[in-house]
Amino acid sequence: MAKRVVIALGGNALGNNLAEQMLAVKHTARAIGDLIEAGYEVVISHGNGPQVGMINVAMGEMHKANPETSVIPMSVCVAMSQGYIGYDLQNALREELLNRSITKSVVTLITQVEVDPNDKAFDNPTKPIGRFMTKEEADELVLKGYSVMEDAGRGYRRVIASPRPKRIIEMETIKTLLDAGQVVIAAGGGGIPVIAKGNHLSGSGAVIDKDFASCELAKALHADCLIILTAVEKVAINFNKPNEKWLDTLTVAEAQKYIEEGHFAKGSMLPKVEAALDFAASSVGRTAIITLLEKAKEGIEGSTGTRIVGVDHESK
Ligand code: ADP
Ligand code: MG
C-alpha cells in the first residue's frame, strides 16, 4: 500500500508576496511532484502568516476608505488566504504532474477547524497581524473590543489568539478525495477557526498554527508520515550557539526533554517539534520529519532531516 504522507508547507514554500509566491509554488510543486512520482499518497497543508496579514490589511483599508463596506472578520480573511494560496499551489502542481504525465486531479478544500472557546489562548492573544497603527488608532480598536499590542517599538498591531485545533470539520471529504486518488490541499493556514454552537459553526477571530493543524490532519488520516517543510534542513539543540548540534533521529522522550530544556524558539521551531512529537507518539509506526522543502524526498527516505520516531522504533 502506498505510504500516506501529510506535507506541511512553511513560509519559504510560498514567498512573501504575489510575485514571490508564484515563483515559490513552482519549486514547491517540483518537490511534491517528486514524492507523488515516487508513489507516495500526499495531502498538503500550508501556513498563511504573510498572506493573511496582507488580506487583513487590505480589508481594513477598504473599510477605512469606505466605512459603509463591511468589517471583514479574521475567519473570513483565513478563508480568503486558503483560496488564494490554494489556487496558486493547485495551479502549479497540476502543471507539474501533467509535465510528468501523471493523471491526478489536484483540489483545494476550504477547511474549517473547530477550536475550543475556552482555550486559554483566547485569554492571551499573542499573534500580531495586519498593519502597524498609531496609538490613537490602536485605542480606537481597543474600544471596539479588539486586542492590540505594541510590537517591538515599531508601532501598534492587532494581536489575535492562536488556539489549538480540536477537530477538522471536513475530514470525511478529505478522506473521500484521497481514496479517489486525488491530491488534496487542506487545512490551509491552520484551517478556518470555528466554534460549534449546536449545528452552527461560528467563525472565530483567531489563526490556528499550521503545524498543529497539520498534525491533526495526519492523525485523522492515519498517515504514515508527517513532513514539516521549513527553512532549515535539520533541527538543532543549542541553536545559533557555539555548541550547536544538528539532530538526526529523536525518540519521543528525547524530543520532550529538548522541549523542556528550551531549545526551540516559540512561534517558529517549538510548534513544529511539538506537532512532530504529538504525531510520532500518537500511534505505532508513525514518523515525523522536519526538513527543507528541497530535501522532502531525501527526508522521507531517511537520508536527511530531523525525524521523530514513535514507540515501536524506540523498542528496536
Ligand atoms: P515556517 O514558515 O516554515 O513555519 P518558521 O520561521 O516559523 O518557518 O520556523 C523555522 C525557523 O525556526 C528556522 O528558520 C530557524 O531560524 C528557527 N529555529 C528556532 N529554533 C530552532 C532550532 N532549535 N533548530 C532549528 N531552527 C530553529
Ligand atoms: Mg512558522
Side-chain angles (χ1 to χ4, degrees):
M1 216 172 64
K3 264 199 169 179
R4 184 172 280 190
V5 179
V6 170
I7 307 171
L9 299 173
N12 66 326
L14 299 168
N16 284 308
N17 54 46
L18 180 63
E20 277 182 29
Q21 180 168 306
M22 288 179 77
L23 191 68
V25 290
K26 285 196 198 301
H27 297 295
T28 305
R30 218 164 293 141
I32 298 171
D34 285 344
L35 294 180
I36 296 172
E37 193 164 353
Y40 292 100
E41 190 182 47
V42 308
V43 177
I44 301 154
S45 66
H46 58 80
N48 72 347
Q51 296 84 359
V52 82
M54 177 191 82
I55 292 167
N56 185 249
V57 169
M59 294 296 108
E61 292 302 321
M62 176 190 76
H63 179 68
K64 235 174 82 183
N66 302 297
E68 70 278 7
T69 59
S70 307
V71 174
I72 303 296
M74 191 37 106
S75 49
V76 178
C77 294
V78 175
M80 288 178 176
S81 78
Q82 285 189 350
Y84 155 59
I85 297 167
Y87 159 50
D88 270 356
L89 271 176
Q90 175 175 320
N91 180 289
L93 193 52
R94 174 187 170 275
E95 186 174 328
E96 181 68 30
L97 295 181
L98 283 176
N99 289 344
R100 296 175 190 237
S101 306
I102 298 172
T103 48
K104 268 181 178 295
S105 300
V106 185
V107 58
T108 302
L109 190 75
I110 296 297
T111 315
Q112 304 174 92
V113 173
E114 189 182 347
V115 295
D116 181 351
N118 299 316
D119 191 309
K120 287 193 297 291
F122 284 108
D123 303 329
N124 182 27
T126 50
K127 192 177 174 63
I129 50 143
R131 68 182 175 92
F132 288 97
M133 295 177 289
T134 62
K135 175 94 174 68
E136 292 67 40
E137 287 176 311
D139 288 344
E140 232 173 83
L141 266 196
V142 172
L143 284 179
K144 287 182 187 163
Y146 292 102
S147 300
V148 171
M149 250 164 58
E150 214 283 321
D151 189 348
R154 296 175 296 179
Y156 292 81
R157 282 178 95 185
R158 202 181 144 196
V159 283
I160 54 166
S162 191
R164 292 294 179 114
K166 264 179 66 184
R167 182 169 69 103
I168 295 170
I169 305 293
E170 285 77 17
M171 208 57 235
E172 283 310 308
T173 314
I174 298 170
K175 282 185 190 152
T176 305
L177 290 167
L178 202 55
D179 289 343
Q182 308 214 2
V183 179
V184 189
I185 301 165
I192 304 162
V194 293
I195 289 170
K197 295 175 179 165
N199 284 341
H200 178 66
L201 297 173
S202 177
S204 164
V207 173
I208 301 167
D209 194 303
K210 69 105 178 28
D211 299 312
F212 295 132
S214 304
C215 173
E216 288 312 309
L217 190 60
K219 286 196 289 190
L221 286 171
H222 305 288
D224 302 288
C225 183
L226 166 65
I227 181 158
I228 301 178
L229 300 177
T230 184
V232 283
E233 185 164 343
K234 293 183 184 185
V235 179
I237 47 170
N238 306 311
F239 182 60
N240 276 343
K241 293 186 189 147
N243 57 343
E244 178 180 74
K245 182 177 168 227
W246 299 100
L247 303 167
D248 296 316
T249 302
L250 288 180
T251 62
V252 165
E254 285 166 336
Q256 188 63 50
K257 177 171 151 277
Y258 291 144
I259 288 175
E260 283 159 18
E261 289 174 0
H263 288 285
F264 313 121
K266 269 189 189 164
S268 62
M269 192 46 76
L270 181 61
K272 293 182 211 314
V273 177
E274 284 179 335
L277 183 157
D278 183 350
F279 178 69
S282 63
S283 186
V284 168
R286 292 181 175 173
T287 303
I289 299 146
I290 301 172
T291 193
L292 277 177
L293 172 74
E294 296 77 17
K295 303 277 179 173
K297 189 155 170 282
E298 287 154 84
I300 284 192
E301 287 167 355
S303 59
T304 193
T306 300
R307 62 192 49 245
I308 301 183
V309 295
V311 242
D312 59 327
H313 300 268
E314 275 179 59
S315 57
K316 272 181 195 160

